Amino acid sequence: MPSTQDFMRSLKGGQNAQKSTEGIDNPALVMTDDPDPSVVPRLCHLKRSEGQSFGFHLCKYSQAFEITDLDPWSPAEHSGLKDGDRVLEVNEEYVVNMDFNRVARKIQSCGLHLFLLVLKREEYEWAVSIGVDLKFLAEATKGDHWSRPRLCHIQKHPKHGLGMTIVSVDGQKNQYMVRTVIDGPAEKAGIFNGDRLIWINGLMVSTLRYSAVIKTLKKRGDSVTVLVIDSDSESCYIRRKMPIMPVVAQSCSLPHSAKTMNLVKGSDGYGFLLRQEKLACTQQKVHVLREVDMGSPAEDAGMEDGDLLLAVNGEPIESMEHEDIVRKIRQSGDKVSLTAISIPGRDFYRELGISPLLFHEDCSHRCINNWEEAPLRKQDRKEADSGFHSGYVPELPETVRIQYPPGQSEYCTESSYFSREISEDLGPLTKISERTHYIYL
């Protein structure tokens, strides 16, 4: 039986004999001509439009995540994914031993681009049968000197500025590197001297002349957000024909992050209003948390008026209709986990063109299992301590009032107040992914 070392030698041989491909939409790594069954993973880049699905189902068999039921002409099919492919990595992160919901949420939160490292089903099963270390196999496709790109936010110092200068790379058009000042703002933000500059305030610098790059730096004023990578890792991405994007980066010192609030319903409900509004600048529909009651479970959990709702019980909801979000909260019963971001945070990520959930590490995983740890108002905590509140279930669940108040802002389209009024029983929340380990993405 071949050893793991034999398998890896075959892997490297397959990489060295890699054939030319038509780009990232085809498998980036191809099988060797050697008749030995050793194979290497394929890298697939899925690109979708706003409102479009990637067009595949993800299911889990034991510890394996399998691609199935691809839509014809979908981003999934176009990328080179095949029915039965087993997933090793999602956006450069190893997921084989990860919880199903965490993997699904990572895909749902990645925006318009998704990178999957996969093996054919028979290749995967053969590798497992001989005891190959799948994580080592995935890492071997990147090379020995690979690391993730870094998305860094630099706050300008009154005296030292950004603490960096940008210089052109000799002999390479529209390619730039960063020179940092020791202990300066840039270095403290996670940038290293000699890093290659990839992206600045949402713009790819490879499309900009040097004068335009400098102008973009100055235009921001007191701060700037850049995507950088070391030169060795950049070479690894070039070899793999993989674009360097924020979706595969690690975040460094970003000024805003999403927050997950775990609410336990009190005697007067949760105490907030969910309202669907339109952003004045883009007319995009968003779901906003409003009218947070003083002393309510919502306020105690850290909710603030104007927070943008991003996820309910770990599931991203930005593309959902208002009624569907309301239903999810209602069906959640006496406790719910809400992920949101502040107004400044919302504006920050919108300017960069990325989702606030992208760097909110495993929002679904952060939903606490022990709901007794969630903040309660003083009177509710007393009830819980006395045994009158803990485990208590009302005869009928919470209802939601859909309001259309006269004179409401033209940017408000729908609103729902979460009170303790009662009407109908919708039953417990059912998550398809937990029940069947099968989800459409």
Side-chain angles (χ1 to χ4, degrees):
M1 179 176 291
S3 66
T4 300
Q5 289 75 17
D6 293 334
F7 189 94
M8 298 315 300
R9 281 195 292 270
S10 177
L11 166 63
K12 292 181 178 179
Q15 289 177 336
N16 293 333
Q18 180 179 348
K19 299 176 181 179
S20 62
T21 63
E22 296 178 359
I24 194 69
D25 288 325
N26 288 320
L29 298 174
V30 299
M31 291 183 60
T32 175
D33 291 332
D34 192 321
D36 186 279
S38 300
V39 293
V40 294
R42 306 189 327 272
L43 178 66
C44 298
H45 179 191
L46 287 70
K47 297 174 287 188
R48 66 180 178 183
S49 304
E50 287 286 355
Q52 184 184 22
S53 298
F54 286 120
F56 69 91
H57 288 78
L58 181 71
C59 59
K60 187 172 184 180
Y61 296 105
S62 184
Q63 295 300 313
F65 294 97
E66 182 168 304
I67 303 296
T68 185
D69 298 332
L70 278 72
D71 291 342
W73 311 106
S74 64
E77 185 179 73
H78 183 64
S79 73
L81 274 180
K82 303 295 182 183
D83 195 82
D85 281 344
R86 298 291 178 89
V87 180
L88 300 182
E89 290 187 345
V90 174
N91 292 330
E92 302 281 73
E93 184 171 0
Y94 186 71
V95 299
V96 170
N97 297 316
M98 197 173 287
D99 175 76
F100 180 85
N101 282 336
R102 290 180 63 187
V103 176
R105 301 313 180 222
K106 285 181 180 296
I107 296 174
Q108 290 173 325
S109 303
C110 69
L112 303 181
H113 294 265
L114 172 64
F115 295 90
L116 298 177
L117 189 69
V118 300
L119 282 173
K120 290 182 179 179
R121 182 193 293 121
E122 55 271 22
E123 298 168 353
Y124 180 95
E125 292 175 349
W126 182 84
V128 171
S129 71
I130 66 168
V132 170
D133 185 333
L134 294 176
K135 186 173 184 179
F136 184 51
L137 172 63
E139 291 174 350
T141 66
K142 302 178 178 67
D144 296 331
H145 304 288
W146 169 88
S147 62
R148 284 173 174 267
R150 284 157 278 124
L151 187 64
C152 307
H153 184 78
I154 313 167
Q155 195 69 35
K156 184 181 291 186
H157 188 276
K159 183 177 179 180
H160 305 293
L162 295 173
M164 70 175 188
T165 56
I166 297 176
V167 297
S168 298
V169 178
D170 291 340
Q172 299 184 37
K173 183 180 180 181
N174 294 351
Q175 299 295 311
Y176 309 99
M177 70 170 58
V178 180
R179 298 296 186 194
T180 60
V181 176
I182 296 176
D183 292 330
E187 194 172 88
K188 291 179 179 178
I191 299 173
F192 301 111
N193 190 54
D195 275 345
R196 298 300 179 97
L197 181 65
I198 306 298
W199 188 87
I200 180 170
N201 290 342
L203 299 174
M204 295 293 293
V205 297
S206 60
T207 64
L208 303 175
R209 294 184 177 181
Y210 182 78
S211 58
V213 173
I214 301 304
K215 184 177 180 180
T216 303
L217 267 181
K218 295 180 178 179
K219 182 180 179 181
R220 180 68 185 184
D222 294 335
S223 63
V224 64
T225 305
V226 297
L227 182 68
V228 296
I229 191 170
D230 66 86
S231 58
D232 287 339
S233 297
E234 182 188 41
S235 298
C236 293
Y237 278 93
I238 292 173
R239 174 181 60 79
R240 300 165 68 203
K241 297 183 173 64
M242 181 175 179
I244 303 171
M245 308 177 71
V247 72
V248 298
Q250 61 181 7
S251 64
C252 300
S253 63
L254 296 186
H256 303 281
S257 61
K259 56 186 177 183
T260 292
M261 302 167 288
N262 297 290
L263 283 66
V264 175
K265 184 168 38 173
S267 56
D268 293 323
Y270 291 125
F272 71 93
L273 182 77
L274 176 64
R275 202 162 73 180
Q276 180 174 284
E277 303 178 7
K278 286 185 178 180
L279 296 176
C281 55
T282 63
Q283 294 299 300
Q284 176 190 359
K285 289 183 180 180
V286 293
H287 307 284
V288 185
L289 304 172
R290 296 288 190 188
E291 300 181 23
V292 181
D293 295 340
M294 291 185 60
S296 66
E299 184 186 56
D300 289 345
M303 187 182 296
E304 299 180 77
D305 184 80
D307 283 350
L308 178 69
L309 184 63
L310 304 172
V312 175
N313 293 328
E315 182 175 356
I317 53 81
E318 291 179 274
S319 61
M320 290 185 182
E321 294 297 328
H322 179 80
E323 295 83 357
D324 296 328
I325 300 172
V326 170
R327 187 177 299 111
K328 283 188 175 296
I329 297 176
R330 292 173 66 180
Q331 292 177 340
S332 191
D334 289 339
K335 51 183 181 264
V336 67
S337 176
L338 304 178
T339 302
I341 194 166
S342 65
I343 294 176
R346 177 186 68 186
D347 295 339
F348 173 78
Y349 286 100
R350 187 172 69 240
E351 183 176 345
L352 296 180
I354 57 180
S355 169
L357 286 176
L358 182 58
F359 299 111
H360 183 60
E361 179 62 23
D362 304 319
C363 65
S364 61
H365 190 61
R366 289 191 178 190
C367 301
I368 62 175
N369 295 320
N370 185 359
W371 283 98
E372 282 71 23
E373 294 178 7
L376 299 175
R377 291 181 298 166
K378 290 182 179 179
Q379 61 266 34
D380 297 327
R381 188 174 291 110
K382 290 178 181 179
E383 291 176 358
D385 292 341
S386 65
F388 289 103
H389 180 84
S390 179
Y392 170 73
V393 179
E395 293 183 18
L396 293 171
E398 160 193 67
T399 188
V400 179
R401 270 206 316 272
I402 306 297
Q403 301 176 333
Y404 301 92
Q408 197 172 60
S409 167
E410 61 177 322
Y411 295 113
C412 173
T413 58
E414 295 181 66
S415 61
S416 304
Y417 183 72
F418 293 86
S419 70
R420 60 172 179 165
E421 295 181 4
I422 296 165
S423 65
E424 58 178 334
D425 188 357
L426 293 177
L429 175 64
T430 299
K431 291 185 180 177
I432 301 250
S433 58
E434 288 183 353
R435 179 167 57 87
T436 64
H437 286 165
Y438 183 83
I439 190 171
Y440 181 71
L441 298 162

